[in-house]
């Protein structure tokens, strides 16, 4: 609880999982300590969430403490299904709703989006594939659709760091709740298919965020160079997330034409990813892939 760094929080969460899931001499002690820690985090989170959601003016200190609690809960949710100990789905969803009304700090909004994604992923994992509860499936689908809609709004109107996490979350949710779930008929009701407008907005976000032309910069020291590398890594992450939507046939392939058109121009930074997207598109449908490539050439010709 004394550490704020993301890596430290993650390592602690996975260390607890190792101690609890393996037959070690400290297994019981670790399990008791884990439950106590989660109870304390949830109590702390819930003591602040009421003020944040109901008050018109929120102190910076309260926002900071709420953010720390959410980041800690997110770290543990990544390693454990703590839903039985931390029933916070409604509160997290309320934070995102308030954020869409531009009444929430950006860092809190971004963390809430990530936290909501992992909560819903665990909800799918908990369902019984043989005899799932229709009530649970209906509730889960409603929550997933709501999250996708909320993130779609954040992509359009949120701050840059919020837009990025909202975009990544939408891509991940569409992959998790993709048509491939039809392989188990009981999960068919959970399939979420984005409409054309959402697909276009996802494509446009990639174009404006990843491939926007920037002026060459001269870096004075290693810190600035490292910052540039971090930005590039995040842009590659965004492009790769969109590529998965093409690879899993979740969005129309022709929307990738604008991405294919960037292959030569952005070869140094993104060429490997774009080439992999092309390869996956060719595996899905050679004819559609060829037409998409022709469309990308037409776009390049029109720019001349």
């Amino acid at each position: 609880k004394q550490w704020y760094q993301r890596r430290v929080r993650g390592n602690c969460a996975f260390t607890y999982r190792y101690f609890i899931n393996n037959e070690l001499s400290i297994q019981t002690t670790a399990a008791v300590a884990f439950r106590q820690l989660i109870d304390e985090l949830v109590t702390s989170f819930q003591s602040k969430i009421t003020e944040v959601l109901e008050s018109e003016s929120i102190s910076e200190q309260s926002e900071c403490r709420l953010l720390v609690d959410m980041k800690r809960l997110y770290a543990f949710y990544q390693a454990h299904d703590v839903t039985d100990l931390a029933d916070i789905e409604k509160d997290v969803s309320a934070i995102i709703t308030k954020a869409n009304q531009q009444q929430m700090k950006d860092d809190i909004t971004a963390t809430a989006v990530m936290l909501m994604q992992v909560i819903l992923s665990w909800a799918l994992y908990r369902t019984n594939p043989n005899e799932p509860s229709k009530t649970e499936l209906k509730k889960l689908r409603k929550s997933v659709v709501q999250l996708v809609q909320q993130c779609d709004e954040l992509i359009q109107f949120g701050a840059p760091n919020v837009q990025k996490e909202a975009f990544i979350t939408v891509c991940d949710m569409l992959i998790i709740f993709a048509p491939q779930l039809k392989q188990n008929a009981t999960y068919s009701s959970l399939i979420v298919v984005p409409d054309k407008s959402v697909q276009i907005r996802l494509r446009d976000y990639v174009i404006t965020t990843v491939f926007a032309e920037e002026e060459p910069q001269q870096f004075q020291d290693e810190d600035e160079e490292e910052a540039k590398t971090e930005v590039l890594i995040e842009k590659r992450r965004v492009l790769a997330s969109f590529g998965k939507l093409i690879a899993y046939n979740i969005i129309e392939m022709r929307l990738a034409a604008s991405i294919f058109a960037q292959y030569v121009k952005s070869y140094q930074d993104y060429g490997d990813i774009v080439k992999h997207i092309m390869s996956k598109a060719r595996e899905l449908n050679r004819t559609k892939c060829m037409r998409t490539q022709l469309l990308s050439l037409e776009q390049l010709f029109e720019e001349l």
Side-chain angles (χ1 to χ4, degrees):
K1 294 187 295 181
Q2 304 302 319
W3 292 91
Y4 292 83
Q5 289 87 347
R6 182 175 182 175
R7 183 177 299 178
V8 175
R9 293 193 300 266
N11 287 340
C12 288
F14 280 96
T15 299
Y16 264 115
R17 188 173 75 174
Y18 177 80
F19 286 154
I20 294 171
N21 293 347
N22 292 279
E23 296 181 0
L24 303 174
S25 59
I26 62 170
Q27 183 182 42
T28 302
T29 303
V32 172
F34 176 75
R35 291 182 65 91
Q36 181 179 354
L37 177 58
I38 296 301
D39 286 343
E40 292 177 3
L41 289 177
V42 172
T43 301
S44 178
F45 169 79
Q46 291 178 336
S47 68
K48 302 176 184 69
I49 194 67
T50 302
E51 176 188 353
V52 171
L53 293 178
E54 296 181 359
S55 302
E56 294 183 3
S57 59
I58 309 165
S59 68
E60 185 174 342
Q61 186 178 29
S62 295
E63 287 185 327
C64 183
R65 289 177 176 175
L66 175 63
L67 177 60
V68 170
D69 286 340
M70 291 176 63
K71 287 183 175 181
R72 289 168 174 166
L73 285 169
Y74 174 69
F76 281 101
Y77 254 111
Q78 284 186 299
H80 310 259
D81 180 9
V82 295
T83 305
D84 293 338
L85 303 176
D87 187 10
I88 59 174
E89 179 181 335
K90 290 183 179 179
D91 292 330
V92 176
S93 180
I95 291 175
I96 301 174
T97 299
K98 190 168 184 177
N100 275 319
Q101 301 169 357
Q102 299 182 344
Q103 298 178 1
M104 192 62 65
K105 190 175 180 180
D106 294 339
D107 287 343
I108 292 178
T109 304
T111 305
V113 168
M114 294 188 296
L115 186 53
M116 195 65 183
Q117 177 199 338
V118 74
I119 288 174
L120 296 181
S121 298
W122 278 117
L124 175 62
Y125 178 80
R126 287 197 311 275
T127 59
N128 186 335
N130 298 319
E131 297 180 359
S133 166
K134 291 184 178 180
T135 302
E136 289 182 2
L137 293 181
K138 185 177 180 180
K139 177 184 175 183
L140 178 55
R141 175 177 170 76
K142 181 179 178 181
S143 297
V144 172
V145 171
Q146 182 183 31
L147 178 60
V148 171
Q149 291 174 343
Q150 290 173 328
C151 288
D152 182 38
E153 292 182 20
L154 291 173
I155 291 172
Q156 298 176 68
F157 308 112
N161 64 321
V162 175
Q163 287 179 319
K164 182 193 70 177
E165 294 303 338
F167 174 87
I168 298 295
T169 295
V170 169
C171 292
D172 287 346
M173 287 288 97
L174 293 178
I175 290 171
I176 294 171
F177 296 91
Q180 283 82 354
L181 283 177
K182 287 182 180 178
Q183 295 175 2
N184 187 330
T186 58
Y187 286 150
S188 59
S189 62
L190 294 177
I191 295 173
V192 177
V193 179
D195 60 35
K196 186 65 175 292
S197 61
V198 173
Q199 295 182 33
I200 292 174
R201 280 192 288 273
L202 293 174
R203 188 274 315 275
D204 290 347
Y205 177 78
V206 175
I207 297 299
T208 56
T209 302
V210 177
F211 299 110
E213 294 186 5
E214 299 178 353
E215 296 181 2
Q217 298 179 356
Q218 297 295 327
F219 297 96
Q220 304 297 326
D221 53 39
E222 293 183 1
D223 289 340
E224 292 183 359
E225 183 69 32
E226 185 176 343
K228 180 189 177 184
T229 302
E230 289 296 327
V231 171
L232 178 59
I233 290 173
E234 289 302 315
K235 287 184 177 182
R236 286 174 59 85
R237 180 183 172 211
V238 167
L239 179 58
S241 294
F242 183 81
K244 292 176 184 178
L245 299 181
I246 298 295
Y248 284 94
N249 199 25
I250 295 171
I251 64 175
E252 293 186 18
M253 191 182 297
R254 62 181 287 109
L255 292 176
S258 300
I259 308 297
F260 292 175
Q262 302 292 330
Y263 179 61
V264 175
K265 187 187 302 183
S266 305
Y267 182 82
Q268 181 175 351
D269 292 334
Y270 312 109
D272 58 327
I273 299 178
V274 177
K275 184 178 180 180
H276 188 67
I277 296 173
M278 288 182 177
S279 176
K280 288 297 182 181
R282 192 178 300 111
E283 290 177 11
L284 284 174
N285 190 308
R286 285 181 174 271
T287 302
K288 284 186 178 181
C289 181
M290 185 180 301
R291 289 174 178 171
T292 302
Q293 290 175 332
L294 288 174
L295 180 58
S296 69
L297 293 174
E298 289 177 7
Q299 294 177 357
L300 289 172
F301 180 78
E302 291 174 357
E303 292 177 2
L304 296 177

